[in-house]
Amino acid sequence: MKHQSIAEQDRIHTLDIIRGIAILGIAMANMMHFKTLADLDMMTMIEGRGLPEATLDALSSLFITFFVEGKFYPMFSLLFGLGFYIFLF
């Protein structure tokens, strides 16, 4: 069985664009967690002190929780399943 690439006109570009937006949103959600863990030093973790929370921090956390985690993960999962469905049939 010889593998062939898909012709350019056979691809569904709208799905590729939406999938890229979903991956960008997932990267935004993960960047918040990467920043939070990188800002903590060992004494903060041992003593149990939290980082100071400002208004902008709370608003950005709310934005990412509502829009990113609530929307982009399900959207990417749906597109992943749709891609497999199109691939099989």
Side-chain angles (χ1 to χ4, degrees):
M1 181 175 183
K2 186 175 179 179
H3 296 284
Q4 296 176 346
S5 63
I6 285 183
E8 188 68 28
Q9 65 269 15
D10 290 340
R11 292 193 60 89
I12 303 172
H13 295 288
T14 307
L15 289 178
D16 292 337
I17 292 169
I18 296 172
R19 190 178 299 124
I21 292 170
I23 290 175
L24 179 66
I26 291 171
M28 280 180 16
N30 289 331
M31 285 299 156
M32 183 179 81
H33 296 292
F34 294 153
K35 179 199 81 67
T36 304
L37 294 176
D39 285 345
L40 294 177
D41 62 343
M42 191 55 69
M43 288 308 292
T44 304
M45 294 172 68
I46 292 172
E47 294 173 2
R49 292 178 298 168
L51 294 173
E53 289 285 329
T55 305
L56 188 59
D57 291 334
L59 290 176
S60 66
S61 178
L62 179 67
F63 174 79
I64 288 177
T65 301
F66 182 73
F67 285 108
V68 175
E69 293 176 3
K71 304 289 188 266
F72 288 117
Y73 285 117
M75 181 171 44
F76 183 72
S77 300
L78 178 77
L79 292 170
F80 189 77
L82 181 63
F84 268 116
Y85 179 77
I86 291 171
F87 180 70
L88 292 175
F89 297 105

